[in-house]
Every structure is written in structure tokens, then in C-alpha cells.
Amino acid sequence: MTTLTTAALSTEILESTLLTLEQMTTRLTVLALNASRHPEQSYRVRMLLGDLLADIQDCEEQLGTYAPLDA
């Protein structure tokens, strides 16, 4: 991930978000396809997905973006 500057912060954040989203989509798809061929890996992939969502929700709460889902 590149270092953000203050010159065009909103554009840089958007660009970084889109690039990261693309990489996450590809990597998660590969993990899911691989786990479908190797069912013993499914548990680990499900743990990763749960942890990822929990981390995103935690960040949203800390930044005040969204209220907690259990609120």
C-alpha cells in the first residue's frame, strides 16, 4: 500500500480502497474455490471471513461510520 499524502487525500483514499477491494475479491475467491476442492480448509476460510467482517465493523464503530449491528 502506498503512503498517503495530503495533496489529494480523498482521491488517494478512494484509489487505495478500490485497489484493495479488487485484491481482496480475487484472493477471497481463490480461497473459496480452493476450499471447495479441499473441504477440510472450509473452516479456516470461514474463520477468516468472520474475522475480516469483525475487523471492518470494529473500524466502522471506532470511526463513527455506522452504529454497531447489535445496537
Side-chain angles (χ1 to χ4, degrees):
M1 191 168 294
T2 59
T3 303
L4 297 175
T5 65
T6 56
L9 191 56
S10 61
T11 303
E12 290 177 16
I13 291 285
L14 180 58
E15 181 180 337
S16 291
T17 301
L18 292 173
L19 291 172
T20 301
L21 183 59
E22 182 180 347
Q23 281 199 9
M24 288 176 62
T25 300
T26 301
R27 290 172 182 224
L28 289 172
T29 301
V30 169
L31 287 172
L33 290 171
N34 193 52
S36 71
R37 288 188 293 257
H38 303 281
E40 68 277 5
Q41 296 177 357
S42 295
Y43 179 74
R44 179 64 184 107
V45 173
R46 285 177 161 245
M47 280 181 46
L48 170 67
L49 295 173
D51 291 347
L52 180 60
L53 287 176
D55 287 345
I56 291 171
Q57 289 171 353
D58 184 49
C59 186
E60 289 171 340
E61 290 172 19
Q62 288 179 18
L63 296 176
T65 307
Y66 296 107
L69 293 177
D70 56 357

